[in-house]
Amino acid sequence: QVQLVESGGGLVQAGGSLRLSCAASGSTFSINAMGWYRQAPQKQRELVARITNGGSTKYADSVKGRFTISRDNAENTVYLQMNSLKPEDTAVYYCNAVALTIATLDGMDDYWGQGTQVTVSS
């Protein structure tokens, strides 16, 4: 089992910055990748950024050049630095971890944080 606890959301004006943090606990040794998703009202949850244990990253086109994902493996924490925020970035942001299924050792499990609200005002 992996538990994810998020922090760092809030209200910010357009052009401002926020840094989201997600601390993982439990069977953190089994985590292969962590990422951030977001869900705006009346929209589907979408991938924002992902980082693997090896450091490879992937970003949604809409946030490239503005957001940076990083991971502190020693602290089992992933961060999302969000710069040049736009009103369309307003959403609930969810931390995600992909971890090896311990019971079977043949699959991956998805774990989710509780979500943190990011609101960008114009």
Side-chain angles (χ1 to χ4, degrees):
Q1 295 290 314
V2 174
Q3 296 81 44
L4 304 174
V5 179
E6 300 173 345
S7 62
L11 174 65
V12 66
Q13 291 185 326
S17 299
L18 287 172
R19 189 180 76 161
L20 305 183
S21 300
C22 176
S25 61
S27 302
T28 57
F29 60 88
S30 66
I31 297 175
N32 285 343
M34 296 183 69
W36 292 92
Y37 289 71
R38 67 185 181 187
Q39 187 167 19
Q42 299 181 308
K43 293 185 178 180
Q44 293 189 155
R45 187 174 299 187
E46 64 176 350
L47 174 68
V48 177
R50 177 175 293 276
I51 186 168
T52 69
N53 287 350
S56 298
T57 58
K58 178 179 175 62
Y59 297 92
D61 289 341
S62 60
V63 307
K64 287 181 179 177
R66 300 188 298 120
F67 291 8
T68 302
I69 188 169
S70 61
R71 183 176 181 181
D72 185 336
N73 289 323
E75 297 183 1
N76 298 307
T77 302
V78 66
Y79 304 94
L80 184 67
Q81 179 66 46
M82 304 185 293
N83 298 326
S84 302
L85 283 162
K86 304 175 180 179
E88 50 263 44
D89 295 318
T90 296
V92 177
Y93 284 70
Y94 296 91
C95 181
N96 166 257
V98 179
L100 177 70
T101 303
I102 301 299
T104 63
L105 300 179
D106 65 354
M108 305 299 291
D109 294 328
D110 278 291
Y111 297 89
W112 297 93
Q114 78 283 3
T116 184
Q117 177 71 47
V118 172
T119 302
V120 184
S121 62
S122 60

